[in-house]
Amino acid sequence: MPHELKILFTTSEIHPLVKTGGLADVAQGLSQALHELGVDVRLCLPAYRAVLEQLAAPHQLAQFHIAGCRFPVRLLLSRLPATDVPLYLVDIPQYYDRVGGPYGTAEGLDWPDNPQRFAAFSRVCADLALGRLDPHWQPDLVHANDWQTALVPALLSLEMRRPASVFTIHNLAYQGRFPADVFRRLALPESLWGPDGLEFYGDLVFIKGGLLFADWLTTVSPTYAQEIQTPPFGYGLDPILRWRKERLVGILNGVDYHQWDPRRDPFIPAHYDPDHLGGKARDKAALRAHFGILGDPDAPLAAFIGRLVDQKGADLILDALPHLLTRDLRLVILGSGDADLEMRVRRTADAHPGQVAAHLGYNEALAHLIEAGADLFLMPSRFEPCGLNQIYSLRYGTVPVVHRTGGLADSVVDASPENLAQGTATGFQFAPATADALAGAVHRALHLYADRPRWEALMRRGMAQDFSWQRAAGHYLALYRRALGG
Ligand code: ADP
Ligand code: GLC
């Protein structure tokens, strides 16, 4: 098929090269699905040290200087591993060639020069989009993501002849907010300052560049698209989102079933599908052994995977534990994040040996084993733009228990008596985001768990859901066409 539409997808992370959260999964899954739909989609990513180490000698396209950055810049071209999707890399060793994560040190401290790092990255993305860096390729549209590339639509808005732009909000809580004097140091065009620009109550706020200047805005679920137009979810930016609501669309993320499917997952000891659930019991045994879980092998096993930050509500699980452990429940936790919360998780596990266990850190293989081996997946997020683990859990027959918010509300159907009777239920929802409401939902789940045939019916219904990227990519493609006036 001829490549008709040219899209530049700018992102600060992408699986499997560099990942701190769901954005990496989305960048990979969406770009791959668009490619399969015949779109000429290309990615642009900072050339972090860990990324360059995983790629065979990328080809150098250009070497140049940009405003606001005293270091020379190189633009490299490679491919996303195991795909045909071209990958541009912005190489500024002084910014990206470091030991640590994409946004901070291994100890979790933000890099102090993050504004410089991502302003420079965004400038190069904008120049690439304007056809100034690769003589052989210019996109019709730039798709920027989160605050790290939010300056791209802002910079493009200053140009007479420019590609169209879409900006996706993956999480409005991360805005890229810095003191005002940083704006001058970045040598950004003066016209971008002020309340109608990047200024927000006297500070520089990167994400405003996307919110104000992109032709279209998207976020990663329909419910979150509504929520961010309200003060509790808007952090003061909700007036902008209400003002732009005609140009704001919620598109639920897909998931990559090549990676997340118990039929073929290479990280799990036994494979299974809705008609052959036996493998799941073996995975549960392996998971219990890994974590030293003791007692009745059929006792329900609940799990949490995620960043240990306020958003994800892991503290609500710990608060609810006294009510939950009376029911013979076992719990495993995989996560890393805030030091206080990590300590609380560690102490809780130590206090309940054989019943509660935790792995503090990031571990891809263990995340897969947990998805396969657990019976219940807890996601009590206070807010959740989309959330991916509840969708993975559905496919693994690991029944999700979620706070009714954002993408959790849009992807899990509550096992109410009516939904159970109609055969539409896939999990359990609760609200508000409190330990009591969570405990109530877990008790409802455990009640059903005791009724094996009905529980397995619920598992099977979840496993049959299809949240593949093809559907979401179709929505993005329609939006791109609309943005281009088609
Ligand atoms: P967010 O992007 O807000 O962190 P998502 O649910 O969209 O939340 O995506 C989180 C992704 O990161 C999932 O793929 C999840 O499995 C993964 N993940 C989070 N924490 C860990 C961890 N400690 N170890 C392995 N994978 C993790
Ligand atoms: C963000 C959100 C998460 C979403 C992910 C990918 O990190 O917190 O809900 O799934 O982005 O869009």
Side-chain angles (χ1 to χ4, degrees):
M1 187 193 300
H3 279 148
E4 32 161 3
L5 196 60
K6 297 206 253 333
I7 306 289
L8 179 66
F9 190 94
T10 64
T11 178
S12 55
E13 45 186 281
I14 186 157
H15 185 79
L17 295 171
V18 51
K19 167 167 166 177
T20 71
L23 171 59
D25 297 277
V26 173
Q28 182 200 31
L30 177 56
S31 61
Q32 180 69 23
L34 288 168
H35 181 81
E36 282 164 16
L37 287 174
V39 175
D40 180 3
V41 57
R42 301 189 178 199
L43 299 155
C44 191
L45 181 78
Y48 307 112
R49 176 185 294 187
V51 167
L52 287 182
E53 281 171 357
Q54 295 170 71
L55 297 171
H59 166 69
Q60 178 174 322
L61 283 179
Q63 179 152 16
F64 49 94
H65 275 88
I66 50 168
C69 173
R70 58 203 159 91
F71 310 118
V73 183
R74 290 194 313 151
L75 186 69
L76 312 175
L77 184 59
S78 182
R79 269 176 206 283
L80 187 65
T83 75
D84 288 326
V85 181
L87 171 65
Y88 292 102
L89 296 154
V90 176
D91 187 27
I92 309 173
Q94 290 85 349
Y95 285 160
Y96 311 127
D97 183 12
R98 297 179 182 176
V99 179
Y103 316 125
T105 64
E107 293 72 39
L109 290 177
D110 282 351
W111 298 118
D113 56 354
N114 273 344
Q116 287 80 1
R117 297 170 76 236
F118 291 107
F121 177 51
S122 293
R123 266 192 206 272
V124 178
C125 291
D127 284 345
L128 178 60
L130 290 163
R132 294 173 184 163
L133 298 179
D134 183 347
H136 303 295
W137 196 77
Q138 185 180 1
D140 305 306
L141 182 145
V142 186
H143 186 162
N145 295 275
D146 277 354
W147 74 264
Q148 292 87 351
T149 57
L151 295 187
V152 180
L155 292 166
L156 292 178
S157 75
L158 305 172
E159 302 289 333
M160 290 290 284
R161 291 174 58 82
R162 60 175 185 84
S165 61
V166 169
F167 178 71
T168 296
I169 304 158
H170 293 266
N171 193 335
L172 196 60
Y174 298 91
Q175 301 168 359
R177 186 168 184 156
F178 305 99
D181 62 301
V182 173
F183 180 83
R184 324 268 162 225
R185 280 191 268 140
L186 297 178
L188 287 164
E190 202 55 40
S191 62
L192 289 178
W193 189 245
D196 296 334
L198 303 175
E199 182 190 351
F200 188 64
Y201 295 100
D203 284 341
L204 164 64
V205 169
F206 273 50
I207 202 167
K208 281 188 77 190
L211 304 186
L212 288 171
F213 297 108
D215 297 324
W216 283 86
L217 301 176
T218 78
T219 187
V220 288
S221 69
T223 295
Y224 193 62
Q226 296 302 317
E227 288 172 338
I228 54 177
Q229 297 178 42
T230 67
F233 295 88
Y235 312 101
L237 296 168
D238 46 294
I240 300 179
L241 293 159
R242 285 197 297 278
W243 173 60
R244 297 220 62 196
K245 65 172 187 266
E246 305 300 330
R247 292 290 182 113
L248 168 62
V249 190
I251 302 176
L252 192 73
N253 285 335
V255 303
D256 183 353
Y257 291 124
H258 297 295
Q259 290 180 66
W260 293 97
D261 191 330
R263 289 178 185 85
R264 53 176 167 236
D265 188 331
F267 293 109
I268 62 178
H271 292 150
Y272 59 94
D273 63 51
D275 298 324
H276 309 88
L277 289 175
K280 186 163 176 70
R282 293 204 291 285
D283 293 331
K284 180 173 177 178
L287 178 60
R288 284 171 52 106
H290 177 91
F291 275 109
I293 297 292
L294 302 173
D296 177 6
D298 293 325
L301 178 57
F304 172 92
I305 301 172
R307 294 179 292 117
L308 293 173
V309 296
D310 189 62
Q311 174 190 348
K312 301 290 176 180
D315 54 308
L316 301 178
I317 302 177
L318 303 181
D319 290 346
L321 263 195
H323 304 290
L324 299 181
L325 295 181
T326 56
R327 294 287 300 259
D328 203 28
L329 189 77
R330 309 288 194 270
L331 172 68
V332 297
I333 293 178
L334 168 62
S336 63
D338 294 347
D340 290 355
L341 202 48
E342 286 195 3
M343 174 97 75
R344 232 189 119 193
V345 168
R346 168 65 53 229
R347 286 212 186 107
T348 306
D350 289 348
H352 301 279
Q355 197 169 14
V356 178
H359 179 104
L360 297 176
Y362 188 91
N363 187 322
E364 190 89 21
L366 190 52
H368 286 254
L369 180 62
I370 292 174
E371 284 291 358
D375 298 301
L376 291 174
F377 196 90
L378 309 183
M379 266 180 102
S381 310
R382 292 187 165 85
F383 67 93
E384 194 61 82
C386 178
L388 298 174
N389 280 103
Q390 82 281 10
I391 307 181
Y392 302 150
S393 298
L394 287 171
R395 182 48 64 104
Y396 283 76
T398 304
V399 176
V401 179
V402 303
H403 175 217
R404 190 184 312 121
T405 188
L408 301 175
D410 293 339
S411 55
V412 175
V413 181
D414 183 58
S416 65
E418 306 78 60
N419 292 339
L420 281 172
Q422 285 170 10
T424 54
T426 58
F428 296 84
Q429 293 190 352
F430 64 90
T434 61
D436 281 350
L438 166 64
V442 174
H443 284 304
R444 280 201 292 141
L446 295 182
H447 185 70
L448 203 66
Y449 182 83
D451 183 344
R452 199 66 206 173
R454 291 182 77 206
W455 182 259
E456 286 190 0
L458 185 64
M459 287 169 63
R460 288 202 178 89
R461 204 165 311 114
M463 295 176 82
Q465 304 300 307
D466 183 3
F467 290 94
S468 58
W469 267 112
Q470 276 65 34
R471 176 199 51 84
H475 288 296
Y476 279 104
L477 190 51
L479 180 69
Y480 297 156
R481 293 224 165 92
R482 206 166 160 196
L484 291 166

